[in-house]
Amino acid sequence: MHILVTGGSGYIGSHTCLELLQAGYQVSVVDNLCNSSQESLARVSRLTGKKISFFRVDLLDPSGLDEVFQKQTFDAVIHFAGLKAVGESVGKPLVYYQNNVTGTINLCEVMQRHGVRDIVFSSSATVYGIPESLPLTESAPTLINLITNPYGRSKLILEFVLRDWQAANPDFNVALLRYFNPVGAHGSGEIGEDPNGIPNNLLPYVSQVAVGQLPRLKIFGGDYETKDGTGVRDYIHVVDLAIGHVQALDRLRQNPGVVTYNLGTGNGYSVLEVVSAFEKASGQTIAYEIVGRRAGDIAACYADPSLAKSELGWVAERGLDEMCADGWRWQSMNPHGFPMAGK
Ligand code: NAD
Ligand code: UFG
């Protein structure tokens, strides 16, 4: 089977390409490299001994995309390509809606023209907005006015776009995967997350403090109603997440229509627990200070992942210590990320 991976040179995409190749799939990637480097895929090919066809194409260029589908025949698409910086999306909403929503619509149109009927989509726990209760099941409300930023709203809009598309084309199959907080790196230390500039997310920030590139972590809020006052999240190892995509592809072959799964571990860890686990994994002291809350943050968010277990046979197997150890291996082997990565 031949899978097209959009955004495949990015963080989660590159790990998924590796798992797909190891599971025996043929893989092609479309990416415009706006937030990644082709070096990630060169490393995936090296690690697996298998080739990936790469097309530098923007999803906002429908004819470029059509040419890719003319050259190759695909059995399914895994769609990662999108912009994902929450803060940036507040300042550039039109860029985010155009890239994420229009880009996905272009992709669906080309898939439809070429009779490619299965798509796995990168959604996010952000669609739950402010949770009414925890853990979050897939049937928890997703109210657009409870989502605090255009990035998050683009994900919920796309869930509706894909549902409506499938309803009009019942032969098509859609898996909406709602990721919780992906962290860590492949155990080889060869691929991992390579953010541009100062990281917004906790784990990349902590790693850069550990490696000496940033002086100290600012912990956003110490007065939440959580176990120690700091924010609680469901961190999931990126390799477990990648494997979830391979299992979702199998599910789509059973023609289920639209399916939605939380991909998380079901465990919530506080910022202080993450800092302590990272100190243990790295042997470094992480300097930090507790500052005011970050606008738009919620106190706690973690998944009920039981539907993915019962329907996909998928369970996150890697715990927080392994997430930190693998994240640290990647960061210490590649203190400046990939050479020339989107910089
Ligand atoms: P990433 O930025 O590393 O990967 C996204 C890739 O898409 C990049 O390689 C980028 O160059 C490419 N891209 C963006 N716009 C494009 C376009 N118009 N045409 C072609 N390529 C384009 O991000 P990631 O962390 O790997 O995230 C992958 C997906 O998962 C995204 O859709 C993101 O919104 C979603 N997601 C990520 C997280 C997270 O915390 N990392 C959480 C939930 C959901
Ligand atoms: N945090 C800090 N200091 C930092 C960065 C983060 O204290 O420098 C705290 C946050 O306040 C929060 C926790 O660490 O309590 C996690 O924050 P992240 O920014 O790493 O992750 P978020 O849960 O805010 O959001 C992430 C992605 C979203 C995605 C969401 C759910 O950025 O795109 O997970 O999947 F939608």
Side-chain angles (χ1 to χ4, degrees):
M1 278 187 65
H2 193 166
I3 312 300
L4 175 67
V5 182
T6 75
S9 46
Y11 172 46
I12 305 169
S14 55
H15 287 80
T16 303
C17 288
L18 191 153
E19 295 303 325
L20 286 168
L21 291 168
Q22 282 181 342
Y25 290 92
Q26 193 183 337
V27 175
S28 289
V29 165
V30 159
D31 200 302
N32 65 0
L33 301 180
C34 69
N35 196 38
S36 58
S37 157
Q38 230 183 302
E39 172 65 14
S40 63
L41 296 178
R43 294 188 184 187
V44 169
S45 287
R46 228 166 38 228
L47 287 165
T48 56
K50 294 183 179 173
K51 201 175 145 292
I52 298 172
S53 305
F54 179 78
F55 300 92
R56 185 169 187 172
V57 171
D58 195 316
L59 293 191
L60 296 179
D61 168 16
S63 53
L65 202 54
D66 201 84
E67 275 173 34
V68 175
F69 280 70
Q70 280 169 31
K71 281 188 195 134
Q72 311 264 358
T73 303
F74 301 114
D75 297 288
V77 173
I78 303 184
H79 176 35
F80 293 105
L83 298 174
K84 62 163 184 175
V86 172
E88 186 184 58
S89 77
V90 175
K92 299 180 179 172
L94 299 184
V95 171
Y96 269 68
Y97 287 122
Q98 187 177 48
N99 192 75
N100 294 1
V101 180
T102 307
T104 302
I105 292 171
N106 289 343
L107 176 65
C108 292
E109 284 177 343
V110 175
M111 286 176 66
Q112 191 160 342
R113 225 171 9 254
H114 293 268
V116 181
R117 295 193 295 213
D118 290 352
I119 183 167
V120 178
F121 173 64
S122 297
S123 189
S124 167
T126 197
V127 299
Y128 295 117
I130 303 162
E132 273 174 13
S133 64
L134 292 169
L136 284 157
T137 64
E138 288 80 355
S139 57
T142 54
L143 291 175
I144 203 140
N145 52 356
L146 290 182
I147 302 175
T148 53
N149 58 81
Y151 161 73
R153 282 189 278 273
S154 78
K155 289 290 171 191
L156 187 55
I157 289 167
L158 283 169
E159 287 201 1
F160 282 106
V161 168
L162 291 168
R163 279 178 196 283
D164 289 343
W165 182 51
Q166 193 281 333
N169 300 278
D171 291 346
F172 286 63
N173 298 294
V174 177
L176 306 172
L177 302 185
R178 294 177 177 162
Y179 313 158
F180 281 68
N181 288 56
V183 298
H186 187 254
S188 63
E190 292 287 334
I191 55 171
E193 189 170 10
D194 184 14
N196 270 327
I198 296 180
N200 297 308
N201 296 118
L202 179 64
L203 260 291
Y205 203 107
V206 167
S207 318
Q208 293 198 10
V209 173
V211 85
Q213 281 177 3
L214 290 169
R216 71 181 50 214
L217 170 71
K218 287 193 178 77
I219 296 183
F220 300 133
D223 57 353
Y224 285 109
E225 280 186 30
T226 57
K227 48 186 129 182
D228 57 22
T230 65
V232 166
R233 296 291 184 276
D234 185 340
Y235 297 94
I236 171 172
H237 196 297
V238 66
V239 171
D240 280 324
L241 188 62
I243 292 169
H245 289 73
V246 180
Q247 287 175 233
L249 280 180
D250 291 344
R251 178 83 178 96
L252 290 187
R253 281 206 291 277
Q254 299 160 12
N255 288 93
V258 179
V259 285
T260 306
Y261 299 110
N262 285 339
L263 295 185
T265 65
N267 302 313
Y269 289 104
S270 72
V271 176
L272 287 172
E273 286 174 326
V274 169
V275 167
S276 154
F278 206 92
E279 286 184 328
K280 196 170 91 187
S282 64
Q284 308 295 311
T285 301
I286 311 293
Y288 69 83
E289 61 181 317
I290 296 183
V291 300
R293 295 181 180 190
R294 181 171 65 177
D297 269 359
I298 52 177
C301 176
Y302 50 92
D304 175 344
S306 53
L307 189 64
K309 183 178 180 187
S310 60
E311 292 195 3
L312 301 180
W314 175 89
V315 175
E317 288 176 349
R318 295 158 181 82
L320 183 63
D321 289 342
E322 193 169 349
M323 300 177 207
C324 293
D326 290 341
W328 171 243
R329 188 176 306 106
W330 152 255
Q331 183 71 56
S332 45
M333 283 170 62
N334 306 271
H336 303 289
F338 293 113
M340 297 180 305
K343 293 169 190 160

